[in-house]
Amino acid sequence: MKMPHGIMKKLPEDVILCIFLRIPVKSLMRFKCVSKNYYTLLQSTTFINLHLNRTTTVKDEFILLKRSFKEDINQYKTIFSFLSGDGDHDYLNPIFSDFDVPNMTDTQSIIFDQLIGPCHGLIALMDDFTTIIFNPSTRIFRLLPPSPFDRPKGYHRSIKCLGFGFDSVVNDYKVVRISEFLKDDCYGYVQVEEENVEIYELGIDCWRELNHVNQQFPTIFWVPCSQIFYMGTFHWIAQSVILCFNMSTEIFHHIRMPDPCHNIRNHSLVILNESLTLICYSSVAPTSDPIEDLMEIWILKDYDVSESWVKKYTIRSLPIKIPLAIWKDNLLLFQNRSGYLMVYDLRTDNVKELNIHGCPESMRVAVYKENLTIIPSGSESSTPVHKF
């Protein structure tokens, strides 16, 4: 949208506000340079929140794709691709140049990292040691400081799971990390001695330990796309349940999985029709056993009510390695066993391989809408923000 600055100056402020809410973020960033008044308006919390919560449609959705390529023995290159659809799901168009992701280069990073979000406008890329928070619209990112808490002497630390979400009560973003301390017994067997929960708050740039946790966690599966932030709560796939952590109350609870899903090997969490959705699938090569080659998609109709699971789809014979996301409420994006990005239409049963490739199991997807959300920087001594 092009409009002479002279005409804009004559318009009432509420009209200018309505115009800005309809302008792409790339153009809004340019308007910041036009005048001090525009800069102040576009940087204000009021406008940023209005822009974040404006009415949008699936046509306003974009795809952030993370994938990796092998460069050397135990050395990988990880990139972000920023993509949009043109109404035809057979084609994804890059809207920015690919960006090399720093600090995510070894084997552990590309297989066990997690892409989480969007969460109140921001997305997190995380592994055992590194957390990168970024806004894909402004392409601003921040590398978070590592936890200062060390393992007790004589113990090993194992990270069980990671999470990222927004606490609407204190109006801040939080990172949560669950770990366990292990110790070899007198026979050489490893024993879990203690479990530990750590919280990092971006707004105050501080790690702390959660002391009121007095429960034993279920077995949590660290697999791609097995976690999601939804309804102010973070969710992880665990043994027969979904482990939940409320970002505001900082209390854990769980949601039981549907009984038929207990016998299916792999599970992923996505959002479908604005509801928490469980994908149950097998990632092994096709077999003659129809049960082994089955995918089921279950929707939780009433959040936090385990009895409200409803099976929405049953799908057979997809060459799926990992499900990535459901886009536009009918397009299942997944990486196949050869490493290619594929799309399956839940309404028509059409499946197509796209010309986008990465190392097997390295792809992650986040579906996002443009926003101007600013990454909290905490204090002057906190880690700085950068631009892709």
Side-chain angles (χ1 to χ4, degrees):
M1 177 183 290
K2 293 183 179 180
M3 186 174 293
H5 177 49
I7 295 178
M8 290 283 286
K9 286 180 66 176
K10 299 176 182 178
L11 295 175
E13 185 173 332
D14 58 340
V15 175
I16 294 175
L17 193 66
C18 290
I19 292 172
F20 280 167
L21 288 174
R22 289 165 172 78
I23 293 178
V25 165
K26 187 175 182 180
S27 299
L28 289 177
M29 302 297 281
R30 292 171 180 162
F31 266 102
K32 286 184 178 183
C33 304
V34 171
S35 74
K36 185 179 293 185
N37 288 340
Y38 288 169
Y39 179 87
T40 302
L41 173 63
L42 295 173
Q43 285 286 107
S44 69
T45 302
T46 299
F47 181 80
I48 289 172
N49 286 334
L50 282 172
H51 190 268
L52 179 66
N53 297 303
R54 72 197 186 282
T55 301
T56 57
T57 69
V58 293
K59 293 182 180 179
D60 300 305
E61 291 180 343
F62 299 92
I63 290 176
L64 175 71
L65 171 67
K66 171 261 165 186
R67 51 190 166 137
S68 301
F69 304 94
K70 192 167 187 177
E71 290 194 317
D72 203 347
I73 298 175
N74 296 326
Q75 189 71 23
Y76 292 80
K77 178 181 181 180
T78 297
I79 64 169
F80 280 145
S81 298
F82 303 85
L83 309 169
S84 69
D86 59 356
D88 179 359
H89 68 261
D90 291 346
Y91 181 68
L92 291 175
N93 179 47
I95 56 176
F96 298 121
S97 299
D98 289 345
F99 171 75
D100 291 355
V101 181
N103 305 98
M104 297 281 183
T105 58
D106 60 24
T107 307
Q108 289 293 105
S109 292
I110 70 118
I111 295 177
F112 294 106
D113 60 4
Q114 308 286 5
L115 187 67
I116 300 170
C119 167
H120 212 70
L122 301 183
I123 292 175
L125 180 63
M126 316 170 75
D127 65 13
D128 279 16
F129 306 104
T130 304
T131 299
I132 301 171
I133 308 294
F134 58 98
N135 183 328
S137 305
T138 61
R139 292 185 291 162
I140 300 294
F141 73 95
R142 180 179 163 207
L143 180 65
L144 299 190
S147 168
F149 303 112
D150 200 2
R151 66 185 187 277
K153 188 175 181 180
Y155 288 80
H156 313 285
R157 180 196 290 272
S158 174
I159 307 299
K160 296 188 68 169
C161 61
L162 303 162
F164 171 68
F166 184 75
D167 180 347
S168 59
V169 174
V170 300
N171 198 38
D172 197 6
Y173 297 87
K174 294 178 178 178
V175 171
V176 56
R177 185 170 81 162
I178 303 176
S179 57
E180 56 189 11
F181 297 124
L182 311 172
K183 193 173 185 179
D184 297 335
D185 64 16
C186 58
Y187 300 103
Y189 294 102
V190 175
Q191 300 289 332
V192 178
E193 297 289 332
E194 183 183 339
E195 292 180 313
N196 172 264
V197 180
E198 298 165 288
I199 305 290
Y200 175 81
E201 296 184 51
L202 270 71
I204 59 176
D205 187 33
C206 181
W207 281 97
R208 58 183 168 84
E209 293 182 299
L210 205 59
N211 296 318
H212 65 258
V213 179
N214 56 1
Q215 67 184 81
Q216 185 174 2
F217 295 109
T219 300
I220 303 170
F221 298 111
W222 189 309
V223 294
C225 309
S226 62
Q227 70 295 303
I228 200 166
F229 179 75
Y230 174 74
M231 296 288 285
T233 300
F234 204 84
H235 305 78
W236 296 274
I237 293 292
Q239 183 71 49
S240 301
V241 299
I242 298 170
L243 179 64
C244 311
F245 178 75
N246 186 292
M247 285 289 175
S248 297
T249 64
E250 298 186 349
I251 293 175
F252 288 93
H253 67 284
H254 69 264
I255 300 171
R256 293 198 320 274
M257 289 185 188
D259 291 339
C261 293
H262 294 177
N263 297 324
I264 299 179
R265 183 172 306 181
N266 298 300
H267 306 87
S268 287
L269 291 170
V270 296
I271 301 299
L272 174 60
N273 298 331
E274 299 184 353
S275 296
L276 186 66
T277 300
L278 178 68
I279 300 179
C280 310
Y281 67 101
S282 173
S283 64
V284 298
T287 68
S288 57
D289 186 344
I291 296 179
E292 284 289 322
D293 205 20
L294 181 72
M295 172 188 287
E296 295 179 349
I297 298 180
W298 294 74
I299 292 180
L300 190 64
K301 285 292 187 179
D302 297 318
Y303 178 69
D304 223 2
V305 179
S306 300
E307 293 76 20
S308 68
W309 286 108
V310 174
K311 184 161 63 172
K312 183 74 172 178
Y313 299 102
T314 300
I315 306 164
R316 301 184 186 277
S317 303
L318 276 186
I320 190 165
K321 186 63 180 177
I322 48 172
L324 300 171
I326 294 180
W327 183 34
K328 300 182 178 180
D329 273 342
N330 71 298
L331 301 177
L332 172 63
L333 300 173
F334 65 94
Q335 187 175 24
N336 68 13
R337 300 179 187 108
S338 301
Y340 282 93
L341 179 64
M342 298 191 71
V343 58
Y344 172 80
D345 193 316
L346 295 169
R347 296 172 185 161
T348 66
D349 289 329
N350 290 332
V351 61
K352 186 174 181 66
E353 181 179 282
L354 305 181
N355 191 28
I356 299 175
H357 185 267
C359 289
E361 299 185 77
S362 73
M363 283 189 181
R364 309 286 184 268
V365 160
V367 178
Y368 71 96
K369 297 180 181 180
E370 285 198 322
N371 68 89
L372 291 165
T373 302
I374 297 172
I375 301 173
S377 57
S379 60
E380 291 184 1
S381 61
S382 62
T383 52
V385 296
H386 306 276
K387 188 163 185 176
F388 294 154

